[in-house]
Amino acid sequence: MRAVRAHGSGSAASLRVDDVPEPRDPRGEEILVAVAASSVNGTDVGVSRGELPLSVLRRGPRSLGFDLAGEVVAVGESVTAFEVGDAVVALLGHGGGAQAELALVDSASAALAPDTTAWSTAAGLPLAGLTALQALHGRAALGSRQGAEVLVVGAAGGVGSFGVQLAALAGAHVTAVADAARSDHVRGLGAHEVVDRSQRIGSLGARFDVVLDAPGALTAEVVRSLLRPGGTAVTTRPQPATLLSSVGAGLMKDVMGGLGALGAPVAAPQEAGSAADRPSHASVMVKARTRDLDRLVRLVDDGRLRVPVDDVLPLEEVAAAHARLTSGDVRGKVVLTL
């Protein structure tokens, strides 16, 4: 079967569509999916460039693709939630492999696909949507912050585009950071204010209850200047201990604890013995879970959440897809189709 793999690292020239063996038959709780589309994420770029630890630890070609939309073609003997012919979306683990004609998936990492979207749209939902959901409603406990002020940095990208929408759906006042050329895009997603990314972000003042730093661009000093007492900044990038200690120690809790329904009260994450007004800064490690994917799918089918797709390219143009994603002008998701 065809599959995207990175050979070497450092440039898009290392990306190839190889002919590789098909996966084995599914066992236990696994399902085998005929992939129709897979989005390109920052994780793919990091793996292809050799910038992530999982890239360094692997020898030889590295499989790419971490989320997908497709049709179930076989199920393991213990699978009850899915059957052959179901349309699904899923988030794969660190091994990747979604940018291939067939992918073996843990059924606990999949959900029925939206009824209202094409494959190329549905494929843009899992990784970026789950990251934004779990950052805002898990780590930052947005549902418990009535009338919250939320700042979304990198608002025009994949995670940021979902972050703007999910924050607005929760009733927050959303300030988005994006360049002027993409301000209409983020306003269309529900942002109430747009701040040009060339502006000194720290000058906005300490008025935010939640900061979602999608690209991991903010320094500890800027974070401190933005957060109200008790506020939380969440990033997709692991934070060094020195940065964490400057805004509050011991705050690298699992993002999945206490993730509730959108808009429902969730206990705010608190460190034992910490002051309630201490600002916190933490990373979100996205977790593939059916119930969270189901929540996002329902929002899409209800017309409340949009999967913004910037460009759709065939699998063979994976290098061009990476170039588009890293161009600095992307609006939402870049998707590969098979």
Side-chain angles (χ1 to χ4, degrees), residues 60-94:
R62 300 175 299 282
S63 298
L64 296 186
F66 296 89
D67 51 9
L68 60 80
E71 182 178 320
V72 177
V73 294
V75 300
E77 63 274 10
S78 301
V79 174
T80 58
F82 304 101
E83 58 186 30
V84 172
D86 280 346
V88 297
V89 289
L91 177 62
L92 276 62
H94 293 303

Side-chain angles (χ1 to χ4, degrees), residues 274-327:
S274 66
D277 63 352
R278 179 179 296 167
S280 63
H281 191 295
S283 299
V284 56
M285 300 294 291
V286 65
K287 177 74 172 179
R289 293 198 303 190
T290 295
R291 72 172 183 257
D292 293 344
L293 270 174
D294 279 339
R295 185 174 297 124
L296 293 170
V297 167
R298 287 196 301 272
L299 287 171
V300 171
D301 279 339
D302 289 345
R304 302 176 66 202
L305 182 68
R306 178 161 64 90
V307 183
V309 176
D310 179 277
D311 205 355
V312 179
L313 297 167
L315 190 70
E316 286 72 19
E317 295 186 26
V318 59
H322 278 234
R324 178 60 187 157
L325 184 66
T326 57
S327 67

Side-chain angles (χ1 to χ4, degrees), residues 14-330:
S14 70
L15 301 173
R16 302 178 196 167
V17 178
D18 293 337
D19 186 15
V20 304
E22 293 184 357
R24 58 169 172 77
D25 292 336
R27 304 169 184 161
E29 295 287 347
E30 296 172 332
I31 58 176
L32 185 64
V33 179
V35 180
S38 175
S39 79
V40 179
N41 293 284
T43 306
D44 296 291
V45 175
V47 171
S48 68
R49 290 177 172 176
E51 296 172 350
L52 299 181
L54 59 116
S55 308
V56 177
L57 292 174
R58 293 181 192 164
R59 294 183 179 181
R62 300 175 299 282
S63 298
L64 296 186
F66 296 89
D67 51 9
L68 60 80
E71 182 178 320
V72 177
V73 294
V75 300
E77 63 274 10
S78 301
V79 174
T80 58
F82 304 101
E83 58 186 30
V84 172
D86 280 346
V88 297
V89 289
L91 177 62
L92 276 62
H94 293 303
Q99 290 167 14
E101 292 181 307
L102 293 167
L104 202 57
V105 178
D106 184 340
S107 62
S109 303
L112 293 175
D115 294 325
T116 56
T117 64
W119 291 122
S120 57
T121 302
L125 181 63
L127 194 153
L130 285 172
T131 302
L133 176 71
Q134 293 168 6
L136 292 173
H137 285 277
R139 193 63 189 90
L142 180 59
S144 69
R145 302 174 187 266
Q146 299 302 315
E149 290 268 354
V150 175
L151 178 70
V152 180
V153 182
V159 173
S161 290
F162 284 112
V164 169
Q165 294 180 84
L166 292 171
L169 284 173
H173 182 278
V174 183
T175 300
V177 178
D179 55 43
R182 295 182 287 178
S183 61
D184 287 345
H185 169 72
V186 294
R187 287 188 187 279
L189 297 173
H192 301 92
E193 299 178 46
V194 181
V195 175
D196 193 282
R197 67 181 183 183
S198 65
Q199 181 176 333
R200 185 171 169 270
I201 305 303
S203 66
L204 295 175
R207 62 185 179 96
F208 298 102
D209 302 285
V210 175
V211 174
L212 174 58
D213 179 14
L218 302 182
T219 65
E221 180 182 5
V222 171
V223 167
R224 287 195 299 271
S225 73
L226 294 170
L227 290 175
R228 286 175 174 166
T232 299
V234 188
T235 178
T236 60
R237 303 286 184 182
Q239 298 300 300
T242 52
L243 187 152
L244 287 174
S245 64
S246 68
V247 292
L251 292 166
M252 291 292 287
K253 287 185 173 180
D254 181 25
V255 68
M256 302 318 303
L259 180 59
L262 290 177
V266 182
Q270 292 292 331
E271 191 68 18
S274 66
D277 63 352
R278 179 179 296 167
S280 63
H281 191 295
S283 299
V284 56
M285 300 294 291
V286 65
K287 177 74 172 179
R289 293 198 303 190
T290 295
R291 72 172 183 257
D292 293 344
L293 270 174
D294 279 339
R295 185 174 297 124
L296 293 170
V297 167
R298 287 196 301 272
L299 287 171
V300 171
D301 279 339
D302 289 345
R304 302 176 66 202
L305 182 68
R306 178 161 64 90
V307 183
V309 176
D310 179 277
D311 205 355
V312 179
L313 297 167
L315 190 70
E316 286 72 19
E317 295 186 26
V318 59
H322 278 234
R324 178 60 187 157
L325 184 66
T326 57
S327 67
D329 188 45
V330 70

